[in-house]
Amino acid sequence: MGFSATPFITIGLLILSNVFMTFAWYGHLKFESKPLYLVILVSWGIALFEYCAQVPANRIGYGYFNAAQLKTIQEIITLSVFVVFSVFYLGEAIHWKQIIGFGFIALGAFFIFTK
């Protein structure tokens, strides 16, 4: 059993895709004065880059990971990126209840990866 770059490439692409998607979904919240049609168009443009990372991540990772594991990795990354985004970009504080909730999600991830 040798070294495989597959998990690193997969997770790296998933992180990249989540950064793009988080900005596509929530970045416009700082621009409330902009027309809705404009933020939708900009969000679609950003989401294109998300798909350019997400689709290859799943294709590369599938086989090394099963579909449930890929989805679990995706969700953990999504929450992690979102926490950083909401604190540093939106300036929102994270509450202890959110941390506990994310902890329960991480516990669920543990069960997905346990044989």
Side-chain angles (χ1 to χ4, degrees):
M1 188 169 169
F3 173 80
S4 174
T6 299
F8 297 101
I9 294 168
T10 301
I11 291 169
L13 287 169
L14 289 174
I15 290 169
L16 181 64
S17 75
N18 269 280
V19 169
F20 282 118
M21 202 55 170
T22 300
F23 274 96
W25 284 5
Y26 301 102
H28 63 87
L29 296 177
K30 288 186 93 173
F31 303 99
E32 293 180 42
S33 64
K34 299 296 180 193
L36 185 57
Y37 78 89
L38 181 60
V39 296
I40 289 171
L41 290 173
V42 170
S43 292
W44 278 3
I46 296 169
L48 171 65
F49 294 103
E50 185 269 341
Y51 280 96
C52 289
Q54 176 76 20
V55 171
N58 285 326
R59 179 158 294 191
I60 291 166
Y62 188 67
Y64 187 92
F65 300 108
N66 64 39
Q69 290 172 328
L70 280 170
K71 184 60 179 171
T72 302
I73 294 167
Q74 167 70 24
E75 294 305 324
I76 295 298
I77 291 171
T78 297
L79 289 173
S80 301
V81 169
F82 182 77
V83 167
V84 171
F85 176 86
S86 66
V87 169
F88 292 104
Y89 184 79
L90 295 177
E92 296 182 356
I94 183 130
H95 192 272
W96 67 268
K97 289 180 182 180
Q98 293 165 324
I99 293 170
I100 290 175
F102 293 155
F104 280 122
I105 293 169
L107 181 63
F110 169 79
F111 287 111
I112 296 292
F113 282 92
T114 303
K115 294 191 187 256

